[in-house]
């Protein structure tokens, strides 16, 4: 490593540990830093046991695992029937210096829970990129979202990795990465059944497809979008709706954004489509020099926009705000007068391992993410958007009961460092937030685990909002990252796990997870 890389790495590690409340770093910025994201982790060997913030949920493992009848401590609820799926980047070959932890082939896993038993299974999402590298026995895609750097042998192949999120569509698991179409996996075996899933040829094979589609709470249809929709650097975003039964594309429209930046997530309500445009901007010059797709423009404005679902997008209205970022949407709703968009917000570059356009060093304070509510009048009569902090929770991966994706909701969930960290309360927590009372409850898992994003599992299809289980992976930092699946009563998270599924190995890396109810499995 060069001196500069050494320096970056050291300061980044220190900051990650500091901002993430010591060990047990949760979230993308903290744990990514610990995983060696800044200078490129060229060493796939495991971090030393017990090393503070030693990568946790983002540590590579590569091994595909099958374990039936996992060991369970406590009592697995007998009414719990479904699959807890997740994906994350798990590089097949070492990342080259300068590459970041968001790159790497997607490794999908499932805990299939039924009748008080749990089976654990992981398989790579085997897109064309995975297969080409497997055949060549080396990495052919050295840089995150930079096709200029690809090995010439892969020209024309899909770059899909499916390393960010998974969704269930008609009993197929779609592994998602926002720059490419989904990779489709069998829901039971996790074997790849389609490396470029286009909903039966309805989308181009180059269609960018968000990692955060929404399932309409009323119709059950899927709403998704793709940015840079007309090729590298395009300012066109396509938005479309897919029928839940026929897979037919029911509606599509194209809009233009004020500038080309990362649009990681969005919002869908019963009537509206919402986007938040933030200045993590495309940097073609940097790509041509061999760098990643993005750099952070600290002078960039933000834009919140909305338009009617099902229309032509011509009613799109933008509202401006100062520089900040907001990567993940927790939930959205309107009250007939105003539209509300609940999101994590950072004051600056949310990913300190991504460069700043002005060459300034990583800003760890500016990367801290807190839950906020953006609102705009439905009349459109305002130049800017309003914004309000919801909680003192640093929660970069907030979730809700997914049955409420497109309607008013009350509860949110997240992994977060203890918000009382300044009073010495270190440790990684799972939180349940109540938006009605503006309060939250916490389970603090201590300082020796890294907690991945939790998911909410309703007791059954008809349960009221929030009635069910909250589950997520705890990577034990003092046990060589051996992992547990912890299952909590979502209405009593402060009581801690009611059941713990004990893996004998480290769980595969996780960005996002998904609960698929048993009744949604194909019969
Ligand atoms: C995110 C994750 C990504 C990515 C872009 O959570 C944004 C944010 C795992 O990859 O490519
Ligand atoms: Fe995400």
């Amino acid at each position: 490593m060069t001196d500069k890389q050494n320096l970056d790495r050291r300061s980044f590690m220190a900051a990650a540990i500091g901002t993430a409340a010591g060990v047990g770093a949760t979230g993308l910025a903290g744990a990514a830093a610990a995983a060696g994201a800044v200078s490129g982790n060229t060493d796939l060997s495991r971090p030393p046991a017990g090393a503070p913030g030693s990568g946790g949920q983002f540590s590579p493992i590569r091994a595909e695992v099958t374990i039936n009848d996992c060991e369970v401590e406590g009592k697995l609820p007998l009414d719990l029937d479904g699959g807890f799926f997740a994906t994350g980047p798990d590089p097949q070959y070492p990342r080259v210096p300068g590459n970041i932890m968001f790159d790497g082939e997607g490794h999908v896993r499932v805990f299939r829970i039924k009748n008080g038993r749990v089976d654990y299974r992981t398989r790579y999402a085997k897109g064309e990129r995975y297969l080409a590298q497997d055949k060549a026995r080396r990495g052919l895609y050295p840089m995150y979202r930079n096709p200029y750097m690809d090995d010439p042998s892969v020209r024309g192949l899909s770059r899909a990795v499916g390393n960010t999120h998974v969704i269930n569509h008609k009993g197929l698991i779609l592994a998602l990465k926002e720059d490419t179409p989904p990779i489709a996996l069998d829901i039971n075996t996790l074997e790849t059944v389609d490396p470029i899933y286009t909903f039966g040829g309805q989308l181009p094979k180059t269609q960018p497809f968000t990692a955060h589609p929404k399932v309409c709470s009323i119709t059950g249809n899927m709403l998704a979008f793709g940015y840079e929709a007309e090729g590298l650097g395009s300012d066109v975003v396509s938005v479309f709706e897919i029928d839940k039964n026929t897979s037919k594309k029911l509606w599509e429209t194209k809009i233009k954004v004020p500038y080309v930046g990362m649009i990681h997530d969005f919002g869908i309500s019963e009537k509206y489509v919402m986007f938040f445009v933030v200045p993590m901007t495309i940097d073609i010059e940097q790509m041509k020099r061999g760098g990643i797709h993005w750099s952070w423009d600290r002078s960039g404005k933000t834009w919140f926009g909305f338009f009617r679902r099902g229309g032509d997008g011509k009613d799109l209205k933008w509202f401006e705000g100062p520089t900040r970022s907001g990567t993940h949407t927790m939930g959205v709703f309107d009250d007939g007068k105003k539209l509300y968009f609940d999101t994590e917000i950072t004051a600056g570059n949310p990913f300190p391992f991504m460069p700043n356009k002005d060459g300034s060093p990583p800003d760890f304070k500016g990367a801290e993410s807190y839950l906020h509510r953006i609102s705009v009048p439905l009349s459109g009569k305002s130049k800017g958007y309003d914004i309000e902090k919801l909680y003192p929770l640093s929660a970069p991966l907030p979730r809700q009961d997914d049955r409420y994706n497109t309607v008013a909701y009350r509860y949110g969930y997240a992994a977060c460092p203890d918000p009382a960290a300044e009073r010495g309360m270190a440790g990684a927590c799972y939180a349940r937030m109540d938006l009605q009372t503006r309060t939250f409850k916490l389970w603090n898992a201590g300082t020796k685990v890294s907690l991945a994003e939790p998911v909410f599992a309703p007791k059954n299809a008809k349960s009221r909002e929030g009635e069910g289980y909250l589950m997520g992976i705890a990577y034990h930092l003092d046990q060589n990252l051996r992992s547990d699946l912890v299952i909590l009563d979502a209405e009593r998270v402060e009581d801690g796990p009611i059941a713990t599924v004990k893996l004998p190995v480290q769980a595969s890396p996780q960005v996002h997870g998904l609960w698929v109810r048993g009744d949604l499995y194909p019969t």
Side-chain angles (χ1 to χ4, degrees):
M1 282 202 289
T2 65
D3 281 354
K4 182 173 179 302
Q5 283 170 333
N6 250 319
L7 191 74
D8 285 351
R9 185 177 181 125
R10 249 187 297 119
S11 53
F12 199 35
M13 292 287 285
I17 288 160
T19 58
V23 289
T26 37
L28 296 172
V38 169
S39 53
N41 181 6
T42 53
D43 178 8
L44 284 180
S45 65
R46 304 274 293 276
S54 57
Q57 64 207 75
F58 301 104
S59 299
I61 178 168
R62 297 176 72 208
E64 295 182 316
V65 172
T66 307
I67 305 171
N68 288 341
D69 279 320
C70 297
E71 181 189 344
V72 180
E73 203 176 85
K75 230 175 141 60
L76 207 56
L78 284 173
D79 59 1
L80 193 55
D81 174 11
F84 171 37
F85 293 80
T87 187
D90 192 357
Q92 247 173 316
Y93 290 94
R95 294 190 184 102
V96 305
N99 202 3
I100 60 172
M101 56 74 64
F102 282 178
D103 204 8
E105 292 59 46
H107 195 162
V108 179
R109 70 169 118 92
V110 60
F111 290 86
R112 176 68 171 110
I113 305 177
K114 196 183 169 133
N115 298 327
R117 291 171 178 264
V118 193
D119 296 341
Y120 176 73
R121 178 182 285 255
T122 85
R123 294 293 183 271
Y124 270 106
K126 290 171 185 157
E128 291 186 341
R129 164 170 154 165
Y130 176 97
L131 296 171
Q133 295 189 144
D134 194 49
K135 195 163 166 212
R137 287 182 169 268
R138 65 187 181 91
L140 301 169
Y141 298 81
M143 194 52 55
Y144 173 74
R145 296 195 57 187
N146 184 344
Y148 298 118
M149 295 293 284
D150 292 353
D151 189 277
S153 67
V154 301
R155 203 151 291 148
L157 295 185
S158 168
R159 304 183 93 256
V161 284
N163 73 8
T164 311
H165 198 10
V166 281
I167 192 157
N168 168 37
H169 177 66
K170 294 203 326 173
L172 274 182
I173 293 299
L174 306 183
L176 306 171
K177 175 80 171 180
E178 64 201 41
D179 62 347
T180 40
I183 301 173
L185 278 58
D186 183 280
I187 195 168
N188 292 304
T189 65
L190 298 187
E191 296 304 335
T192 297
V193 295
D194 192 346
I196 311 175
Y197 186 71
T198 59
F199 299 86
Q202 295 182 95
L203 301 176
K205 284 195 163 193
T206 52
Q207 172 72 44
F209 192 99
T210 177
H212 292 284
K214 309 297 172 203
V215 174
C216 178
S217 305
I218 294 152
T219 63
N221 294 336
M222 182 184 346
L223 286 113
F225 72 96
Y227 67 89
E228 294 188 46
E230 296 184 346
L232 184 70
S234 141
D235 63 355
V236 173
V237 177
S238 62
V239 187
F240 43 91
E241 177 165 354
I242 304 278
D243 187 277
K244 68 158 186 255
N245 296 314
T246 64
S247 293
K248 256 198 131 77
K249 189 163 75 185
L250 299 174
W251 166 67
E252 176 167 24
T253 194
K254 292 187 175 180
I255 59 154
K256 286 203 171 202
V257 277
Y259 56 81
V260 182
M262 179 196 284
I263 309 178
H264 183 65
D265 201 343
F266 72 146
I268 294 282
S269 68
E270 196 181 334
K271 295 198 184 114
Y272 303 102
V273 181
M274 293 152 249
F275 286 108
F276 189 44
V277 176
V278 302
M280 183 60 85
T281 50
I282 189 165
D283 194 331
I284 301 265
E285 287 313 307
Q286 176 176 282
M287 288 170 74
K288 287 187 173 157
R289 292 193 305 268
I292 68 164
H293 199 91
W294 308 113
S295 64
W296 174 255
D297 178 5
R298 74 200 291 175
S299 67
K301 281 187 192 337
T302 48
W303 297 95
F304 180 83
F306 78 91
F307 61 97
R308 237 165 214 288
R309 252 173 87 172
D312 60 8
K314 295 220 166 74
D315 56 323
L316 169 64
K317 165 94 176 110
W318 292 109
F319 304 80
E320 71 171 85
T323 311
R324 48 168 73 96
S325 187
T327 304
H328 290 109
T329 315
M330 184 161 73
V332 302
F333 60 99
D334 74 72
D335 62 7
K337 288 203 174 105
K338 284 176 118 186
L339 199 53
Y340 300 91
F341 182 84
D342 296 347
T343 177
E344 48 152 329
I345 290 284
T346 63
N349 180 350
F351 307 122
F353 48 88
M354 293 192 184
N356 296 318
K357 207 180 198 72
D358 63 5
S360 57
D363 168 15
F364 304 103
K365 201 76 196 145
E368 282 178 18
S369 189
Y370 292 93
L371 284 161
H372 284 69
R373 174 167 290 171
I374 287 175
S375 59
V376 295
L378 285 169
S379 68
K381 288 196 187 104
S382 172
K383 190 166 172 298
Y385 58 82
D386 286 331
I387 186 162
E388 162 198 22
K389 192 169 178 178
L390 283 175
Y391 301 99
L393 291 177
S394 169
L397 301 162
R399 293 296 293 262
Q400 63 178 172
D401 179 336
D402 283 328
R403 296 173 302 169
Y404 292 76
N405 269 190
T406 62
V407 292
Y409 72 113
R410 178 167 177 182
Y411 300 111
Y413 309 92
C416 55
D418 199 306
E422 67 278 8
R423 298 201 307 274
M425 300 293 288
C429 300
Y430 279 145
R432 184 189 79 149
M433 297 159 254
D434 182 336
L435 287 135
Q436 200 163 301
T437 58
R438 296 284 178 98
T439 56
F440 58 86
K441 293 229 158 116
L442 291 177
W443 170 58
N444 188 322
T447 58
K448 293 194 171 69
V449 297
S450 171
L451 292 179
E453 177 199 62
V455 300
F456 173 80
K459 263 185 198 285
N460 56 61
K462 300 233 153 62
S463 309
R464 68 194 141 74
E465 185 190 355
E467 182 192 13
Y469 305 98
L470 190 68
M471 59 181 84
I473 300 292
Y475 294 79
H476 291 274
L477 301 172
D478 58 350
Q479 296 173 38
N480 215 19
L481 299 179
R482 192 196 64 71
S483 306
D484 291 334
L485 171 67
V486 294
I487 300 172
L488 294 82
D489 180 336
E491 294 178 304
R492 287 187 187 74
V493 294
E494 64 280 14
D495 291 351
I498 51 178
T500 301
V501 180
K502 301 181 82 76
L503 292 180
V505 292
Q506 175 203 321
S508 54
Q510 173 174 344
V511 177
H512 293 293
L514 170 78
W515 175 255
V516 178
R517 295 194 316 265
D519 62 282
L520 296 176
Y521 269 69
T523 42

